[in-house]
Amino acid sequence: MKFLVRAFGYLFGVAAVFGLIAAAGLWIYLNKMSEDLPDFTALQTYEPPVMTRVHATDGQLMDEFARERRLFLPIQAIPDRLKQAFISAEDKNFYQHMGIDPQGIARAIVTNLRNRGSGRRLVGASTITQQVAKNFLLTSEVSYERKIKEALLALRMEQTYSKDHILELYLNEIYLGVGAYGVGAASLILFDKSVHELNLAEMAYLAAVPKGPSNYHPFRYRDRAIERRNWVIDRMVENGYVDPQEAAEAKAMPLEVKLRETGTRLKGAEYFSEAVRRELASRYGEERLYEGGLSVRTSLDPKLQILARRALKEGLLKFDRSRGKWRGPLTTLEITSNDWGPELAKVERLDDVPEWTTAIVLSTSNENAIVGIRPETVAGGKLSTERLRTRLSLEDMKWARVDGRAPRNVQEVLKPGDVVYVEKTGGDTYELRQVPEVSGALVAMDPNSGRVLAMVGGFSFDQSEFNRATQAWRQPGSVFKPFVYATALDNGYTPSSVVLDAPVEIEQGPGLGVWRPQNYGGKFYGPSTLRTGIELSRNVMTVRLAQDMTMDLVAQYAKSFGIYDNMMPVLSMSLGAGETTLMRMTNAYSMIANGGRRVQPTLIDRIQDRYGRNIYRSDQLVCDACAVSDWTNQEEPELIDTRERVLDPMTAYQITSMMEGVVQRGTATSVKAVGRPVAGKTGTTNDEKDAWFVGYTPELTVGVYVGYDTPRRMGRGATGGQIAAPIFTAFMKDALANTPPMEFKLPAGLQLIPINRRTGLRANAGEPGTILEAFKPGTVPPDSYSVIGFEDEIGTYRTLSPSAVEAVTVGTGGLY
């Protein structure tokens, strides 16, 4: 017996020694492993990459910019039931353990030993804390060494951070499939809901996904996903988070996933959204744009944006149809089976022109073509099995000229296999469409603040991302003239000043020859008032006026209005020969519309960082008394306008009144259809390469440009009044339909005197051709003629046209 006791004592001693040696070895090993552990203290202030979200002025989501689509939600903003779903699925003892789960580890070791040699992947027993350690600090390497480091980090993290902080990191970092990181983004992307709107079944599905996002894809593996979701619900019942009846109801629900589209959320706002993206990248850099979680409130008015896009689109289509050239199908497919849908669906289309779809020509006759409409895309990205066929008639494609003439039968335009655009025009009727060659842009802004309310940079962003509103530098032509006349009115001239409209020769300098400016149409009209010159867009008058003032003065004003940075002071520039953008020109008109105050075009009203702090505001007014904490019967705060004045408000009203005449009886009479006071100016460049109209009411300034991307002639008659003005009119009628008309405000001190609008001389009220003209204090209508430009021609009548000689020498009877 003593021998057994002695032997047992000996063995126990040996075992104790070896145990101590093993413990020491393990301690040394773990100590060495600890030396290589990454620093986890940065997790205290960890800021995950969060997507930037851009909103319209009414709060609608416009766009999201991100490398990883993630919304960071503080733990307090995550519903308890959603937390419980993840805890039940991933780590039911999360709030009890110290970072590792010994029972889970034991089960994993047994399972891995049992599976040894089978080639199966090692089974883990990671707690949520361990998963945070792995996701943030370690690689995804499958090894025991990594698992040991993971466990050591988890133990240390539990000693440093609260359970809620660890869970917050986990729920905002995990990948949940379909490009979504974190529960906030996944809820929006998968269900188009915030986390607070999710039901139990939806919460359970989110908690089911981390185990294998691709294995539980909601469309590819729907049955497997539902099975895993229901397993999570069962675990929630076991853990006491859900009662059995509610669980049964949730398990019976289908998996209804509504994938959220990527890209611009507001159709038709793609150019605006891209311009905002560029500004944010320029202001904050690419990293902060895509990872900084900025919240951006823009100035875009969604209703006006839709109207702007529609007006420009219809205007460009109308012009393209008037030129009537059919440019052929998008492509041609070989019809090898009755199911043409999949092949047709592969042909790229313009997603930002939702009114259009693609169709394939199945058969043709003299009078009709039978076409197959592109199948709709249903849930999961699959094509609908429905195959819709419709008829295109010859009558609706008469515009599609071939070799310069209208088609006599459908076969001249279409043949089987052609893929074309069609648009549903009512009921089951479709019509043939083609993307116009000509392009253009429209900008609408608030003239008092410079806020850009709508911007369309072309027919289709999908077709071309080039923004013709901000990136196309074009000659403005006659839309620049109001700034020449404004310069004159600001420097002693009056609207009734008379300028000679007669041939003039300008010596341009060595090697440049003589320039002989011409009016549109080639005629000259003798002495005319400044009002007449701008209403009828007289080129020669504008040149003589600029020559009388000097172009150096005009160049100063052009720079002050932001039209050109450094305009060459040569007379041809008075006719808009320099290049500028539609945005710049529209903004310049806004400064006239608001009475002469400088404004800058702004796309962004406010930017907040990921914590909701304002880091940018576009306000250009100062309010010192607006920061009070409460109201104690004090007076309303006064807004202080510190903006620079670039034009005398009296001058601004005078030029506005003159541009009202452009609409009432000048080159833009079609704009009268707006049905309210409108001031504006047409512009047409040499050879009708560019057509412009920029105009405004007291509350809205709008600029329209039409032209080819590679400038070329648009054809005789393609003027600003014929092409751009109707687009302006269509937009303004709809944009202001529900607002009462507003008159332009008359500045104090201006006096309205009746004059003859043709001669500029004082007239009696009620006489034919009499208007009320605005005169500044100290100025009155002239009693006798003083014709600018006439003095230079005395003694040289032979250089004048016969009509000009008669107008100058015969007296007032020769005027008009």
Side-chain angles (χ1 to χ4, degrees):
M1 187 67 179
K2 290 183 179 180
F3 173 78
L4 290 175
V5 171
R6 190 179 301 161
F8 179 78
Y10 176 77
L11 291 174
F12 179 80
V14 171
V17 170
F18 277 104
L20 290 173
I21 294 172
L26 179 62
W27 182 83
I28 294 171
Y29 175 74
L30 293 177
N31 233 19
K32 184 172 179 60
M33 292 281 286
S34 297
E35 294 175 0
D36 298 330
L37 290 178
D39 180 16
F40 64 90
T41 57
L43 296 181
Q44 183 66 45
T45 56
Y46 176 69
E47 294 184 346
V50 179
M51 59 186 170
T52 289
R53 310 185 85 207
V54 180
H55 301 265
T57 191
D58 64 352
Q60 287 192 60
L61 180 64
M62 281 177 57
D63 215 336
E64 296 169 333
F65 303 121
R67 296 191 177 98
E68 295 180 357
R69 300 178 72 187
R70 177 189 286 107
L71 284 176
F72 183 84
L73 294 179
I75 194 65
Q76 298 85 354
I78 301 174
D80 288 340
R81 179 162 282 189
L82 184 58
K83 301 175 197 173
Q84 294 162 0
F86 277 90
I87 289 171
S88 297
E90 296 293 322
D91 186 1
K92 69 176 183 178
N93 297 319
F94 173 70
Y95 279 103
Q96 285 77 46
H97 63 60
M98 57 183 179
I100 59 175
D101 185 353
Q103 291 181 349
I105 292 173
R107 285 195 303 270
I109 291 173
V110 171
T111 302
N112 288 333
L113 289 174
R114 188 183 301 137
N115 293 337
R116 188 176 182 183
S118 66
R120 295 181 182 179
R121 183 182 176 88
L122 292 177
V123 174
S126 295
T127 62
I128 285 177
T129 312
Q130 287 176 271
Q131 291 184 57
V132 169
K134 181 189 74 172
N135 293 339
F136 283 84
L137 303 169
L138 300 171
T139 67
S140 296
E141 174 193 1
V142 180
S143 67
Y144 283 110
E145 183 176 327
R146 197 266 294 164
K147 293 294 292 183
I148 292 171
K149 288 184 177 181
E150 183 182 290
L152 291 172
L153 281 170
L155 291 169
R156 293 189 178 186
M157 288 168 57
E158 289 274 353
Q159 295 172 354
T160 306
Y161 305 129
S162 69
K163 290 284 189 179
D164 279 351
H165 182 67
I166 294 170
L167 187 59
E168 178 183 82
L169 292 173
Y170 174 74
L171 293 177
N172 281 287
E173 180 68 16
I174 50 173
Y175 179 64
L176 294 169
V178 295
Y181 290 82
V183 295
S187 177
L188 289 174
I189 294 169
L190 283 163
F191 301 109
D192 202 18
K193 298 178 181 179
S194 73
V195 290
H196 299 281
E197 299 172 299
L198 296 175
N199 59 40
L200 175 59
E202 291 163 343
M203 290 181 180
Y205 175 70
L206 290 184
V209 172
K211 189 65 70 176
S214 60
N215 294 332
Y216 304 114
H217 193 279
F219 298 120
R220 289 197 293 267
Y221 304 110
R222 180 176 291 269
D223 293 342
R224 191 187 299 171
I226 292 175
E227 181 182 356
R228 174 71 180 176
R229 178 202 69 181
N230 292 346
W231 178 86
V232 173
I233 295 173
D234 288 338
R235 301 292 77 73
M236 295 180 73
V237 173
E238 285 182 11
N239 297 331
Y241 297 132
V242 178
D243 64 68
Q245 181 177 348
E246 186 182 4
E249 293 172 356
K251 289 166 65 175
M253 295 177 66
L255 181 57
E256 294 181 348
V257 171
K258 182 182 178 183
L259 284 182
R260 201 165 181 165
E261 295 180 11
T262 58
T264 305
R265 308 283 299 165
L266 288 176
K267 292 298 182 185
E270 291 81 6
Y271 286 105
F272 197 107
S273 182
E274 173 60 14
V276 169
R277 189 198 67 80
R278 288 173 178 267
E279 182 174 339
L280 292 172
S282 174
R283 186 184 294 272
Y284 299 111
E286 296 278 337
E287 183 174 346
R288 195 168 186 191
L289 167 63
Y290 290 108
E291 300 180 1
L294 302 175
S295 175
V296 183
R297 180 64 62 92
T298 71
S299 57
L300 181 131
D301 184 318
K303 294 180 180 177
L304 292 185
Q305 182 66 29
I306 291 171
L307 296 176
R309 179 188 168 276
R310 183 172 69 192
L312 182 66
K313 171 199 159 192
E314 292 178 355
L316 297 179
L317 285 173
K318 182 178 179 181
F319 176 79
D320 189 64
R321 281 192 163 202
S322 70
R323 293 306 183 257
K325 180 182 178 183
W326 174 245
R327 291 182 290 277
L330 300 175
T331 187
T332 300
L333 300 177
E334 186 176 350
I335 305 175
T336 57
S337 69
N338 290 329
D339 190 7
W340 34 263
E343 288 302 312
L344 177 59
K346 293 178 183 178
V347 178
E348 291 187 4
R349 61 177 175 176
L350 302 178
D351 288 332
D352 61 339
V353 187
E355 306 88 349
W356 292 11
T357 188
T358 50
I360 184 169
V361 180
L362 302 175
S363 64
T364 60
S365 64
N366 285 341
E367 296 296 325
N368 299 289
I370 304 300
V371 300
I373 303 298
R374 178 191 178 109
E376 295 292 330
T377 302
V378 295
K382 297 180 180 179
L383 289 179
S384 167
T385 56
E386 183 183 7
R387 298 293 178 261
L388 175 64
R389 292 173 173 81
T390 191
R391 188 184 308 272
L392 303 180
S393 69
L394 175 63
E395 190 61 32
D396 291 330
M397 60 179 77
K398 288 288 188 181
W399 60 269
R401 293 184 179 86
V402 179
D403 298 328
R405 59 172 176 77
R408 289 170 293 202
N409 58 66
V410 170
Q411 289 97 330
E412 291 184 0
V413 181
L414 302 174
K415 64 180 184 297
D418 284 352
V419 178
V420 295
Y421 281 120
V422 295
E423 180 177 7
K424 194 172 187 177
T425 55
D428 295 327
T429 305
Y430 286 78
E431 290 186 14
L432 181 67
R433 294 287 184 262
Q434 74 173 349
V435 177
E437 274 191 309
V438 73
S439 198
L442 186 152
V443 172
M445 63 172 29
D446 180 342
N448 298 300
S449 64
R451 296 174 68 244
V452 179
L453 306 176
M455 177 174 64
V456 188
F459 180 80
S460 164
F461 187 80
D462 277 357
Q463 178 203 20
S464 168
E465 296 183 10
F466 181 66
N467 190 334
R468 292 131 189 107
T470 59
Q471 295 174 302
W473 291 80
R474 297 289 186 270
Q475 293 181 350
S478 295
V479 293
F480 178 72
K481 288 177 183 175
F483 300 95
V484 178
Y485 286 80
T487 304
L489 295 171
D490 220 31
N491 288 277
Y493 298 79
T494 74
S496 62
S497 297
V498 178
V499 179
L500 182 62
D501 186 4
V504 63
E505 295 183 349
I506 308 296
E507 184 64 53
Q508 300 183 96
L512 297 177
V514 176
W515 178 46
R516 299 178 179 85
Q518 300 286 316
N519 290 322
Y520 190 84
K523 296 182 180 180
F524 302 94
Y525 301 90
S528 304
T529 62
L530 295 194
R531 171 176 286 278
T532 299
I534 199 168
E535 286 184 357
L536 301 178
S537 200
R538 300 276 174 77
N539 290 340
V540 178
M541 283 183 63
T542 305
V543 172
R544 284 189 184 275
L545 181 62
Q547 189 177 39
D548 193 62
M549 291 186 294
T550 75
M551 280 301 295
D552 287 327
L553 185 59
V554 175
Q556 290 177 22
Y557 274 76
K559 184 175 183 178
S560 182
F561 277 98
I563 300 170
Y564 303 114
D565 292 330
N566 291 290
M567 187 182 92
M568 292 179 60
V570 296
L571 284 169
S572 60
M573 297 293 283
S574 67
L575 302 182
E579 293 182 340
T580 188
T581 67
L582 179 64
M583 181 68 80
R584 284 187 172 216
M585 190 57 72
T586 306
N587 188 62
Y589 272 71
S590 291
M591 294 186 224
I592 300 177
N594 70 27
R597 290 285 188 183
R598 179 180 301 285
V599 291
Q600 294 293 336
T602 58
L603 305 177
I604 298 173
D605 288 345
R606 183 216 66 203
I607 302 174
Q608 293 177 318
D609 64 14
R610 66 169 69 207
Y611 302 108
R613 296 178 299 222
N614 286 333
I615 57 176
Y616 168 80
R617 294 187 71 92
S618 67
D619 295 346
Q620 298 183 40
L621 300 177
V622 176
C623 182
D624 295 330
C626 289
V628 294
S629 58
D630 53 18
W631 182 66
T632 55
N633 297 311
Q634 66 265 40
E635 295 292 328
E636 291 183 5
E638 182 178 349
L639 296 177
I640 303 171
D641 195 340
T642 60
R643 296 173 299 178
E644 177 189 359
R645 187 169 288 286
V646 296
L647 193 67
D648 185 286
M650 295 186 182
T651 301
Y653 181 85
Q654 287 178 316
I655 195 67
T656 293
S657 175
M658 291 163 67
M659 285 196 285
E660 280 189 276
V662 173
V663 173
Q664 293 301 316
R665 53 190 164 267
T667 57
T669 53
S670 65
V671 178
K672 285 193 290 185
V674 174
R676 63 182 64 223
V678 179
K681 184 70 186 74
T682 56
T684 310
T685 60
N686 288 340
D687 299 323
E688 289 92 8
K689 290 181 179 178
D690 302 290
W692 297 67
F693 185 84
V694 185
Y696 52 87
T697 63
E699 68 269 51
L700 190 61
T701 305
V702 176
V704 177
Y705 156 78
V706 177
Y708 292 105
D709 286 343
T710 302
R712 59 185 173 90
R713 295 195 64 165
M714 292 190 290
R716 188 64 177 172
T719 64
Q722 293 297 317
I723 300 176
I727 297 174
F728 172 93
T729 302
F731 172 72
M732 283 297 234
K733 286 176 68 175
D734 291 335
L736 302 176
N738 298 318
T739 61
M742 293 177 61
E743 297 287 344
F744 292 104
K745 187 177 179 180
L746 181 72
L750 270 181
Q751 51 184 333
L752 298 178
I753 301 174
I755 67 165
N756 184 295
R757 66 179 178 83
R758 293 183 178 274
T759 66
L761 298 177
R762 190 185 294 268
N764 295 318
E767 290 182 356
T770 299
I771 63 170
L772 287 176
E773 192 67 87
F775 287 87
K776 297 177 182 177
T779 65
V780 293
D783 295 323
S784 60
Y785 287 105
S786 175
V787 182
I788 299 169
F790 174 62
E791 297 82 357
D792 298 335
E793 304 295 346
I794 296 296
T796 58
Y797 291 155
R798 63 182 183 277
T799 66
L800 302 178
S801 67
S803 61
V805 171
E806 181 182 2
V808 174
T809 58
V810 174
T812 57
L815 290 172
Y816 303 93

